[in-house]
Amino acid sequence: MAFPVRNLAVVVLYFIHVGLVFSQPLVNRATIVDSTSALKQQYDYVIVGGGTSGLTVANRLTKDSSDKLEPGVLVPGVPPPKEYSRNYISAPQPGLLNKPQPVYSAAVVGGGTVINGMFFNRGSAADYDGWEALGNPGWGWKGLLPYFKKSENFTPPPPELAAQYPISSDLGPHGTDGPVGSSFPQYQYPILRSFYKAWNSIGVPSNRQPNGGRAVDAFYSTLSLTAWNQSRCSASTAYYRPIEGKRPNFHLLTLHSVTKISIDRKSKRATGVQYVSRNATKTVRSVRANQEVIIAAGAPRSPQILQVSGIGPQKLLSSLGIDVVENLPGVGYNFQDQPAMFAGVTCPDTQAYLSGTTVAFLSLQRLTPTYRTIIASAQRADLAKALPAGADQTLLEGYKAQQRSILTDYASPDTAVHELAYAGGETVPLVVLKPLSRGSILINSSDPLADPVFDYGTFTHPADMQVAVAMYKKFRQFVTAEVWTAVGMRETSPRVQSADDDDDNGAIEAAIRNLTTSTWSHPVGTCAMLPRKYGGVVDSGLQVYGVQALSVVDASVMPMIVASHTSSTVYAVAEKAADLIIARRRNS
């Protein structure tokens, strides 16, 4: 049963870096606040971040059983304004010829779901069971599936589309009355029927139901799409716009930046946040949280907020003159994303590149017959050398535990390590889905408005390059399948001449390092949900170790990246987080 609206109020302050949500009686309706003068001095909850996870949690904390919601509309395919994103540059990556890499960040209410490619899938059951096995009870596949379903409003495809593509009519794994639209485009380029024929011809079967716990092989994926009007469904259209004007306990403040979490040093309890305007003078204002401060700023920014507030690696904070509230060595470490290489093809029937639904997610066994060699090589790697500088012993122990889990997945036919997407255009992304490399996001200044140092650590673990070499060889096998060559398809880039030589991978490695980007725009892991002995930052209740009334609810808590795109999982994590927060209030 949800708390009555009159008892809680939430204000979301959405900033260029982060946003806030607060909970307690406010004004007459849920609204975007144009001025800080309209805010109260205190709320039940302050949520830092107005993106996917922040809006999900805010919606659930302010929910009233009498709400009748209608979805908003955002047409897909229209490029979002550049003002909707604010991007950064990483440190030079030695694994990518010392080239700095982009760090993509949304700067719009709704976060990345407003500007992403709308791909809406889940990982395999083993991806989430690995989280639980690391010491997080309730976070396995069975524990999360109800939250995947709670967030989803799935609509099956038209019969004529389902007849042409491998799409299951099984509604069992799907939710059908959640806020996030999940469906399929009603038109697809005819050439893409050849996508599945090509994979089938080289031994990769089609998977009609990739959302039921086995997300591998060639499948036709759902998009975050409202079926009836074929419009994008973002966190804003799903969780905020429907309640705007209907809830008296929800404020959203945009164009501000959180500068610090206010913490009572005696009790070590988070009591609120400090923030400044992005556009006006940098007058520091504050707002109090009577119940909890909830961090939802995303994997690139949540660790920075903790660090400048005195929560993080003691040596780093002390070197910057920051008073240490809690020594948590894992804050900002364990940074993960999925390296992506963009190969090129040409074909008389290719179409303009669009966000696609036709993908192959391959297990290591499907990817290469030498998968056992890659696993054995990974087991011999010196993990201490693969970790970022400054990582302490607990992080090394956590890294070892993660590798054991990931290599178990590598040996399984039911968990993917590679994605190949093809939408009928001239670009074919080749993605390492479950990298073993780890990076970091660490401040180098006590200034909360200064950018931290983003270091992906791409290809610091040698097994990731071995997987990347295998994925390029598989791409060559796919693109030269008879069904493609019959219509004139050919590779245009990188066209490595020695790709078929198993004894000489040097040219392939060079091409990969030259053409790969560190990010598939799925950053996770920087405030990991792990035991403290493994360098964890939050416990299985998503509460920050050592500090009361402070939690993190975004992708930064994922201890290991899942073999999928991440938006569906972020929704599920946030839905579960909301239930955990509500349960704490009831039990207090």
Side-chain angles (χ1 to χ4, degrees):
M1 179 177 177
F3 295 120
V5 172
R6 64 180 181 273
N7 290 342
L8 284 179
V10 167
V11 62
V12 178
L13 305 182
Y14 184 68
F15 310 132
I16 191 64
H17 294 163
V18 293
L20 303 176
V21 179
F22 308 88
S23 166
Q24 78 177 35
L26 289 175
V27 291
N28 293 327
R29 64 190 182 94
T31 185
I32 293 180
V33 178
D34 295 323
S35 171
T36 57
S37 63
L39 296 180
K40 299 286 187 179
Q41 292 182 344
Q42 57 185 335
Y43 298 87
D44 292 306
Y45 296 99
V46 175
I47 302 179
V48 181
T52 306
S53 56
L55 292 186
T56 301
V57 172
N59 179 294
R60 296 309 187 183
L61 292 183
T62 60
K63 182 175 175 58
D64 177 61
S65 59
S66 66
D67 283 338
K68 297 184 184 301
L69 307 181
E70 296 294 335
V73 175
L74 183 64
V75 179
V78 178
K82 63 180 181 180
E83 292 82 5
Y84 281 15
S85 62
R86 182 177 179 184
N87 303 324
Y88 310 92
I89 298 296
S90 79
Q93 298 297 291
L96 298 177
L97 308 180
N98 283 318
K99 292 183 291 187
Q101 298 295 308
V103 181
Y104 298 115
S105 178
V108 58
V109 174
T113 58
V114 177
I115 61 175
N116 68 7
M118 300 170 59
F119 200 86
F120 197 68
N121 73 321
R122 308 167 187 168
S124 291
D127 286 307
Y128 307 100
D129 291 342
W131 294 4
E132 188 166 43
L134 288 173
N136 299 303
W139 286 93
W141 172 253
K142 290 182 178 179
L144 274 173
L145 182 58
Y147 293 102
F148 281 112
K149 297 171 75 171
K150 183 178 182 179
S151 65
E152 185 182 24
N153 189 342
F154 175 74
T155 301
E160 57 272 19
L161 184 70
Q164 298 179 57
Y165 295 96
I167 305 173
S168 172
S169 59
D170 176 21
L171 297 179
H174 294 286
T176 55
D177 59 359
V180 182
S182 167
S183 191
F184 306 90
Q186 294 182 2
Y187 173 81
Q188 190 56 272
Y189 296 115
I191 192 175
L192 290 181
R193 289 195 288 272
S194 297
F195 179 86
Y196 301 98
K197 294 176 183 178
W199 282 116
N200 298 165
S201 73
I202 60 174
V204 176
S206 300
N207 180 357
R208 298 178 65 84
Q209 181 50 279
N211 288 307
R214 188 175 180 274
V216 292
D217 299 326
F219 58 87
Y220 194 91
S221 181
T222 46
L223 301 180
S224 49
L225 185 75
T226 302
W228 70 271
N229 62 3
Q230 292 288 285
S231 68
R232 173 191 289 268
C233 190
S234 69
S236 177
T237 56
Y239 287 94
Y240 180 70
R241 289 189 188 184
I243 62 174
E244 186 177 8
K246 296 183 179 181
R247 293 186 184 176
N249 58 344
F250 188 167
H251 261 179
L252 174 65
L253 179 67
T254 61
L255 302 176
H256 286 71
S257 294
V258 168
T259 58
K260 191 176 184 180
I261 303 165
S262 302
I263 300 172
D264 181 273
R265 294 305 181 96
K266 184 176 181 180
S267 64
K268 292 182 71 173
R269 179 184 179 88
T271 59
V273 301
Q274 299 174 19
Y275 63 96
V276 298
S277 169
R278 177 163 64 94
N279 294 329
T281 58
K282 303 302 180 185
T283 301
V284 177
R285 294 180 171 86
S286 63
V287 63
R288 183 175 178 84
N290 292 328
Q291 292 293 327
E292 285 190 32
V293 173
I294 301 165
I295 306 299
R301 286 295 180 175
S302 287
Q304 179 187 18
I305 295 168
L306 295 181
Q307 290 166 11
V308 297
S309 303
I311 303 167
Q314 181 172 338
K315 185 176 180 181
L316 171 67
L317 303 186
S318 296
S319 71
L320 297 172
I322 297 172
D323 291 337
V324 178
V325 173
E326 184 69 15
N327 177 25
L328 281 182
V331 176
Y333 285 93
N334 199 46
F335 180 28
Q336 300 160 59
D337 205 326
Q338 296 160 329
M341 170 183 166
F342 295 88
V345 297
T346 188
C347 177
D349 291 331
T350 51
Q351 311 293 332
Y353 177 78
L354 295 172
S355 174
T357 58
T358 46
V359 295
F361 278 48
L362 304 185
S363 69
L364 193 61
Q365 290 188 29
R366 292 272 190 221
L367 189 63
T368 175
T370 64
Y371 71 95
R372 290 189 180 90
T373 301
I374 293 175
I375 293 171
S377 175
Q379 290 170 334
R380 295 191 298 270
D382 187 342
L383 296 187
K385 291 183 179 179
L387 277 178
D392 83 341
Q393 186 64 32
T394 62
L395 287 160
L396 178 58
E397 295 305 313
Y399 191 23
K400 291 176 180 177
Q402 289 183 45
Q403 176 168 279
R404 289 192 293 270
S405 176
I406 293 170
L407 293 185
T408 299
D409 293 340
Y410 275 20
S412 169
D414 298 323
T415 309
V417 302
H418 164 56
E419 173 188 355
L420 184 151
Y422 184 57
E426 297 180 347
T427 302
V428 184
L430 311 176
V431 186
V432 179
L433 287 174
K434 289 183 74 72
L436 285 161
S437 298
R438 296 293 182 266
S440 62
I441 299 178
L442 302 172
I443 58 174
N444 63 353
S445 166
S446 60
D447 180 358
L449 301 181
D451 293 339
V453 177
F454 302 95
D455 185 358
Y456 286 104
T458 306
F459 292 137
T460 51
H461 194 295
D464 291 347
M465 179 55 75
Q466 293 175 294
V467 171
V469 168
M471 78 181 185
Y472 175 68
K473 291 183 176 182
K474 198 69 173 183
F475 158 73
R476 288 287 292 265
Q477 187 181 4
F478 166 73
V479 82
T480 56
E482 184 177 356
V483 68
W484 287 132
T485 58
V487 295
M489 179 178 283
R490 61 182 178 84
E491 177 189 2
T492 59
S493 175
R495 298 182 65 189
V496 178
Q497 297 302 315
S498 61
D500 299 325
D501 185 351
D502 290 335
D503 298 323
D504 181 15
N505 292 326
I508 300 176
E509 290 187 15
I512 290 170
R513 294 187 193 279
N514 185 49
L515 295 176
T516 294
T517 178
S518 295
T519 177
W520 196 216
S521 298
H522 301 144
V524 308
T526 50
C527 298
M529 177 176 58
L530 287 168
R532 289 193 77 157
K533 68 179 181 179
Y534 286 162
V537 177
V538 300
D539 61 21
S540 58
L542 304 184
Q543 298 174 99
V544 175
Y545 288 115
V547 182
Q548 299 182 64
L550 180 61
S551 57
V552 185
V553 299
D554 57 33
S556 69
V557 305
M558 299 181 192
M560 298 182 293
I561 199 164
V562 294
S564 71
H565 294 223
T566 51
S567 65
S568 175
T569 300
V570 172
Y571 281 122
V573 168
E575 288 278 13
K576 184 176 177 72
D579 274 2
L580 292 168
I581 293 165
I582 290 170
R584 284 199 286 272
R585 181 177 172 90
R586 287 174 176 161
N587 295 330
S588 63

